[in-house]
Amino acid sequence: PEATESVPNMQVVAHSNPGSRASTPPTEAAGSTTSRPSTPPEATESVQNTQATVHSNPRSRPCTPPREATESTATNIAQSSSDLTVSALHSKFAQDPNFTGFLGKFGNDELFAAGIEAVVGPMDAQYVRSMYNEHNTVTGVTALFNAWNAGNILRTCARREWLFVVGDKGLDQQTWVFDAGHALPEVAEGMMVPGRNAKHLAALLDSPLAKNAGLGDAEVIALRLYTGPMYVKYNAASRGFAAAGSTLFSGTMHVVISGLCKLSRVTMPPPGLIVYL
């Protein structure tokens, strides 16, 4: 407020000599040329609080911006440089003929509102049969693919993962009802890596979390598959990266989402978790 009140009451005197320093005397001293102008206390405080001084001499030292402005400018320059570096790297990999990764793409609000059905299709009323076919009978179920789990690379296929979770006798193909008592894991060579277990379906269904969430047999099996190597195939389908003509695992994806929704209602977030909206 002091600076606002004092500045309008001051006059700026222009000098014709470019080597002289401009002064700003108070109004009372405008008519005096012999005495040194005095500056009221208010003007002194306000001038001291301003950090930029205008000089008519082009050889004079430029004003120094506040520290905050200097730091902000440096931060913006660094951020801009970082963005350019990232952009250049992205362009490099996207144009590299030997690049074997995925080129991501953004969806839109309409796709988000349409839900999973707009991506993988509607849920089959016979979802257990659909899950079985997606891992055992459709084209490509024995095609090997790489998965990265707990720092390990697994070479596997959809049928092999189904047998690991359900076994060969864990599903009645006449009634399409799971038989947890006979769902014994079939462990192929190279499937057991550090951090992976081969728990029986019955033990998983009997776990406190599954019971508390009210998970059904199909939901436990779908989640078990999803948290194993099959996440590679499910994520590719849900993100639009599935190969042309391959299955989208529609039945399994709908059951996975059903299980996750049930678990979210009974699972407490870990302490210190930050959720960004």
Side-chain angles (χ1 to χ4, degrees), residues 82-277:
S82 176
D83 291 344
L84 290 174
T85 302
V86 172
S87 177
L89 288 174
H90 285 184
S91 298
K92 171 186 175 182
F93 289 125
Q95 297 173 17
D96 186 350
N98 298 318
F99 180 60
T100 58
F102 291 110
L103 185 61
K105 57 183 178 181
F106 289 101
N108 51 38
D109 293 342
E110 290 74 16
L111 182 62
F112 176 81
I116 192 65
E117 288 190 7
V119 180
V120 300
M123 182 176 181
D124 193 327
Q126 296 291 336
Y127 56 89
V128 174
R129 181 180 62 187
S130 178
M131 290 174 61
Y132 175 83
N133 289 334
E134 290 165 357
H135 296 83
N136 292 275
T137 65
V138 299
T139 303
V141 295
T142 58
L144 296 176
F145 63 90
N146 289 333
W148 296 264
N149 288 82
N152 303 283
I153 299 179
L154 288 172
R155 187 77 171 162
T156 187
C157 66
R159 176 162 174 75
R160 184 181 294 180
E161 292 304 314
W162 176 271
L163 294 175
F164 182 83
V165 176
V166 182
D168 189 45
K169 302 184 183 301
L171 174 64
D172 186 333
Q173 297 180 33
Q174 299 298 320
T175 62
W176 299 110
V177 175
F178 289 108
D179 184 355
H182 291 87
L184 304 179
E186 293 190 9
V187 182
E189 182 180 356
M191 296 187 73
M192 295 306 298
V193 295
R196 193 178 196 190
N197 65 71
K199 287 184 178 180
H200 293 195
L201 178 60
L204 295 171
L205 288 168
D206 197 46
S207 65
L209 184 58
K211 288 184 175 181
N212 191 25
L215 297 178
D217 295 7
E219 290 164 330
V220 170
I221 291 170
L223 291 171
R224 177 74 163 165
L225 288 165
Y226 182 46
T227 53
M230 285 305 298
Y231 81 90
V232 173
K233 292 295 186 179
Y234 301 165
N235 285 351
S238 64
R239 297 171 183 175
F241 295 137
S246 62
T247 179
L248 298 179
F249 298 95
S250 177
T252 306
M253 291 292 294
H254 281 282
V255 178
V256 166
I257 293 173
S258 175
L260 290 175
C261 288
K262 289 183 179 180
L263 286 172
S264 68
R265 301 187 187 106
V266 298
T267 304
M268 295 299 295
L273 174 68
I274 299 177
V275 179
Y276 296 93
L277 301 177

Side-chain angles (χ1 to χ4, degrees), residues 51-108:
Q51 302 211 15
T53 304
V54 179
H55 296 274
S56 59
N57 185 355
R59 294 175 295 177
S60 62
R61 185 179 181 181
C63 60
T64 303
R67 180 180 180 183
E68 293 80 359
T70 304
E71 294 176 350
S72 176
T73 301
T75 301
N76 291 337
I77 293 175
Q79 182 64 44
S80 177
S81 176
S82 176
D83 291 344
L84 290 174
T85 302
V86 172
S87 177
L89 288 174
H90 285 184
S91 298
K92 171 186 175 182
F93 289 125
Q95 297 173 17
D96 186 350
N98 298 318
F99 180 60
T100 58
F102 291 110
L103 185 61
K105 57 183 178 181
F106 289 101
N108 51 38

